[in-house]
Amino acid sequence: MRHIRVLIVALAAALAFASPALAQWPTACVALNDIVEAHLGNHGNVGIYQRAFGDGAEAACQSDHRDDVRAVFAWAFDGEAADPVAPTPWPSTCVVLNDIVEAHLGKDFNVQIYQRTFGAGPAAESACQRDHREDVRDLFAWAFGGAPASRWLSVSAGGDHSCGIRVDGTVACWGNSDNGQAAPPPGTFTSVTTGYAYSCGIRTDGLVACWGSNYDGRATPPPGQFVRISAGFGHTCGIRTDGSLACWGVNTTGQTRSPSGVFTAVSSGTNHGCALRRDGRIACWGDNSSGAATPPSGTFVDISVGLDHGCGVRQSGALACWGSNENDRATPPHGRFTSVTSRNRHTCGLRPDGSVACWGSPAESLVTPPAGAFRSLSAGWGHTCGVRTDGRLACWRFDDGRATPPSGAFTAVSAGRSHACGIRVNGAVACWGSNANGQAAPPPGAFTSISAGRGHTCGIRPDSTIDCWGLNKDGQATPPPGAFTSVNAGRNFTCGIRPDGTVTCWGRDWGGAFLPRPPIGAFAALSAGRTATCGARPDGAVECWGSDSYGQSTVPDGVNLVSLSIGWRHVCGIRLDGTVACWGTDYFGESSPPPGAFRSVSAGWFHSCGVRSGGELACWGRNDRGESTPPPGAFTSVSSGVEFACGVRADAALRCWGFDNGSATPPP
C-alpha cells in the first residue's frame, strides 16, 4: 500500500476542505483506503485489507497509513487531530488545484504545465478542466462549478429494480420497491445481487443479508460466510468460503439442489443454475427442458444463465451459449470477451476494450448499449446496467415507445398491449409503440373511431366500414363487410356493433369469447378483452361471455351500465348515476374504484383509469410502472393498456404515462 501514501495525503487534504463532503464520511482506515483506491482506479485493491487480514484489517491498515494521514484523519484512528494547513487562499481554479496536487505528488516538472503549454489565461483553465472534470468530479467538482457524481464498485439489475454498491461499501437500490426489494439494510457490502422482488448481498464480514419478498424463503439465507452470490427469479445460490455451493428459495424444478464440489463462480437463472468448478468446467442443475442445464464441454473463466439459456466465456475469450436459441439468444457474437451476463431472454458481454455487445432480444433498445468503456455489466429482466471505467453507472432498458405519443391535436386514443393509436383532428390515424406485427402502421385515410388490441388494430371509416391492420393469424384483422357503429379489438379476435345494435365478431374463439357467436339482440356498448367479451344493452343490462376463470364474466347482481371496459381479468363500467362498478380480479385494487362520478372508464392489465365528471383523471390498481399515476389537468378521454395509459387533454394534446419502473434510472 506504500505506493499510494503520498497521494492519500493530497486527496485527503482536498477532501478535508472541499465541499460538498462525502455522503457518509469514512470512520475507519479500511473505508478510507477503499475510497482512495477506487478513486485511483485500483479496483482490485478495494477491500484488500479485509480479504488479507480479516478481523485484523483495521489494525493492519492503520499500521500502514497512520503516519501518512495522522494530520487529517487522526480522529478516525483514535488519535488527536492535528490542525492541517490549508492553502491560502483555497484554490478556485483547476490550474491552481492541479499545481497543488502535482506538487504533493512530487511531480515538480508538471507544476504550471497548463500555463506553460496554453498560456496563463482562459485557454489553460479550459484545457485543465477538460482533462480533469470526469477524473476528479467527486473530489473537486466545486472548483469547476459542477456537481459531484457518484462512483460505484458494482451493480446488479433485477426484475423491476436494481441495486449497486457505492465506493464506501453501502448499497443503494432504485426502481420498484413494492416488496421492499429496493430498501437495503444499512452497513457495508462486498457484493449485491437482485432477483425478482428481492435482493441479497454479502456483508464485509461474509454473512448474507436479503431483503424484499420472502416467498418460498428466497430472502432467508443460510448462516455462514460466503464469497460469491447470485439471485435468480425466486432462488439464490452462493459459494461458501470453502468453495461449496448453497442454494435457497423456490425449488419447483430442483434449482436449489446444487451439486457438490469446489466452485469459483455461480449464476442463478429462472428455474436452473450453473457454476464453474475449480478446474473451469461448468456444472448445471434444475430445469433442463430447453437444454439450459446441459452446458458445453471445455474450460471457462466466466458464466451467466438467464430464463432458458446460458452463456460462458472460454479461456480463449470466445463465447459459448446453450439452451433455447429463440431470437438467437444462444448465438453470441464473435470475438474475445472478458465477462458475460444473462438474464431473462437477453445477454450482454464485455470486450477487452471495455465495449459492450448485447444479443437475444427482438427489442432493439434492450440490445443497443450506450457507447463508452465499462468494467462490469449486469443484465436484468427488461434492462441492463453497467459500471463504467470511471466508476459511474449507466443503464438502458426495453422501451418500445408505447408511453411516448406523437405531438399534435387528437380527438380519440386507444391503448393496446404494447402500442397505442390516436385519431388526429383531420381524421388520420397515428400509432406508436411496438410494431412487431404491423399494428402501429395504420393505412392512410380518415377514421371516426379506433381500437388497439393485442397485436392488431381496427378502426371505423367515415362510411361506417371497418379497416384493420397488424397480426392476422386468426383472422382478427379481416373484418366482415357492412356498416358498424363501434369496434373493439381484443386479444386474437375483434367485435363490432352494427347499426341495428347486433354484435358481429371475427377471429379466434379464444376461451369462448364469442361462443363463436355473441348473444342475440341489441347492445349499446361493447368491450372485447383477452379471453372474454362484455356488452351493455340499451336498458343498461350487462352480459358477458367467454372465459370466466377469474370471475370477469360473472356480472354482479343489480349492475346496470351505460358504458364498460374489460381488461385482462377484470371489468369496469359506468353506472347510470356516473359511479364506477368493477368485478373480476382485485389483486392490486384494480376492481376497487374510488367514489365519485365519472364520464368514462378504461380497464387495463392490472389497473384502471377514468375521467371524472370535472375532467380530471383517476387511476387505481397496480402502479409499479407508474401506470396508476396520471398527470394533472383536464382530459376528455382515457385508455388503459398493459402497464401504461394514454389520455386526450382538453386542449387535444396526447399524454401517456407508465411503463417505467425506474429500474434503469440510478440515483445521482
Side-chain angles (χ1 to χ4, degrees), residues 460-666:
I460 298 180
R461 298 280 193 180
D463 63 0
S464 297
T465 61
I466 290 178
D467 204 350
C468 299
W469 56 96
L471 184 65
N472 196 33
K473 180 181 178 181
D474 298 302
Q476 63 266 46
T478 304
F484 289 82
T485 59
S486 72
V487 65
N488 206 276
R491 180 181 181 180
N492 292 63
F493 67 97
T494 310
C495 292
I497 298 179
R498 299 276 191 180
D500 63 0
T502 59
V503 173
T504 300
C505 299
W506 56 98
R508 183 177 180 181
D509 179 15
W510 192 281
F514 51 91
L515 295 180
R517 54 184 300 176
I520 61 174
F523 287 84
L526 186 71
S527 182
R530 184 173 183 265
T531 58
T533 306
C534 291
R537 300 280 190 181
D539 62 358
V542 178
E543 291 187 39
C544 296
W545 56 97
S547 173
D548 194 34
S549 54
Y550 299 96
Q552 67 267 47
S553 293
T554 301
V555 184
D557 294 337
V559 171
N560 290 290
L561 305 175
V562 296
S563 65
L564 74 171
S565 175
I566 184 170
W568 190 26
R569 296 174 176 176
H570 74 292
V571 185
C572 290
I574 305 294
R575 292 190 179 97
L576 301 180
D577 61 0
T579 59
V580 175
C582 299
W583 63 93
T585 62
D586 199 28
Y587 300 147
F588 302 95
E590 64 268 28
S591 292
S592 298
F598 286 78
R599 298 176 185 171
S600 64
V601 67
S602 178
W605 194 33
F606 283 114
H607 79 291
S608 306
C609 293
V611 181
R612 292 189 179 273
S613 56
E616 64 273 17
L617 293 176
C619 298
W620 54 97
R622 190 170 183 173
N623 194 37
D624 59 352
R625 291 184 179 267
E627 61 266 49
S628 291
T629 305
F635 287 76
T636 59
S637 66
V638 67
S639 181
S640 301
V642 175
E643 300 180 324
F644 80 112
C646 295
V648 180
R649 287 191 177 276
D651 62 2
L654 284 178
R655 278 295 305 273
C656 296
W657 57 96
F659 199 59
D660 185 4
N661 55 26
S663 59
T665 307

Side-chain angles (χ1 to χ4, degrees), residues 144-528:
F144 305 148
S150 294
R151 293 296 188 265
W152 302 79
L153 298 178
S154 64
V155 67
S156 178
D160 50 7
H161 75 294
S162 303
C163 293
I165 300 180
R166 297 186 186 271
V167 292
D168 63 359
T170 59
V171 172
C173 300
W174 55 97
N176 180 33
S177 196
D178 284 350
N179 294 281
Q181 64 266 44
T188 55
F189 291 77
T190 61
S191 178
V192 68
T193 181
T194 51
Y196 202 91
Y198 76 108
S199 308
C200 293
I202 301 177
R203 295 188 180 274
T204 51
D205 61 4
L207 300 179
V208 174
C210 297
W211 55 97
S213 171
N214 195 32
Y215 182 73
D216 278 348
R218 65 186 68 182
T220 304
Q225 293 179 312
F226 287 77
V227 294
R228 299 284 187 273
I229 192 171
S230 175
F233 182 83
H235 78 289
T236 304
C237 292
I239 300 178
R240 296 187 181 274
T241 52
D242 63 359
S244 63
L245 289 172
C247 300
W248 60 93
V250 178
N251 192 38
T252 54
T253 59
Q255 59 265 54
T256 64
R257 291 195 291 268
S258 56
S260 60
V262 178
F263 296 85
T264 60
V266 64
S267 179
S268 300
T270 300
N271 293 310
H272 74 294
C274 293
L276 280 182
R277 295 190 181 275
R278 188 162 52 184
D279 61 5
R281 293 180 297 117
I282 299 174
C284 298
W285 60 96
D287 180 29
N288 195 35
S289 58
S290 63
T294 305
S297 59
T299 56
F300 291 76
V301 297
D302 194 30
I303 187 176
S304 186
V305 298
L307 172 68
D308 50 13
H309 75 295
C311 292
V313 181
R314 295 189 181 274
Q315 286 190 334
S316 64
L319 289 172
C321 298
W322 59 96
S324 172
N325 196 35
E326 183 181 355
N327 294 313
D328 294 329
R329 69 186 65 159
T331 306
H334 298 292
R336 293 182 62 247
F337 289 80
T338 58
S339 65
V340 67
T341 176
S342 301
R343 189 66 72 96
N344 202 19
R345 294 176 171 85
H346 79 289
T347 303
C348 294
L350 190 63
R351 297 187 184 274
D353 63 359
S355 62
V356 178
C358 299
W359 64 96
S361 172
E364 184 176 350
S365 59
L366 192 57
V367 294
T368 305
F374 289 78
R375 68 167 183 257
S376 66
L377 299 170
S378 178
W381 269 264
H383 68 292
T384 303
C385 292
V387 181
R388 294 188 180 273
T389 52
D390 64 1
R392 292 181 300 160
L393 282 183
C395 298
W396 57 100
R397 70 181 180 95
F398 167 64
D399 186 0
D400 54 19
R402 70 183 70 176
T404 308
S407 59
F410 288 78
T411 61
V413 65
S414 178
R417 179 188 182 186
S418 56
H419 78 292
C421 294
I423 300 179
R424 296 188 182 275
V425 291
N426 63 357
V429 170
C431 299
W432 57 98
S434 173
N435 194 38
N437 298 289
Q439 68 267 40
F447 288 81
T448 59
S449 68
I450 196 81
S451 179
R454 182 175 186 263
H456 73 292
T457 308
C458 292
I460 298 180
R461 298 280 193 180
D463 63 0
S464 297
T465 61
I466 290 178
D467 204 350
C468 299
W469 56 96
L471 184 65
N472 196 33
K473 180 181 178 181
D474 298 302
Q476 63 266 46
T478 304
F484 289 82
T485 59
S486 72
V487 65
N488 206 276
R491 180 181 181 180
N492 292 63
F493 67 97
T494 310
C495 292
I497 298 179
R498 299 276 191 180
D500 63 0
T502 59
V503 173
T504 300
C505 299
W506 56 98
R508 183 177 180 181
D509 179 15
W510 192 281
F514 51 91
L515 295 180
R517 54 184 300 176
I520 61 174
F523 287 84
L526 186 71
S527 182

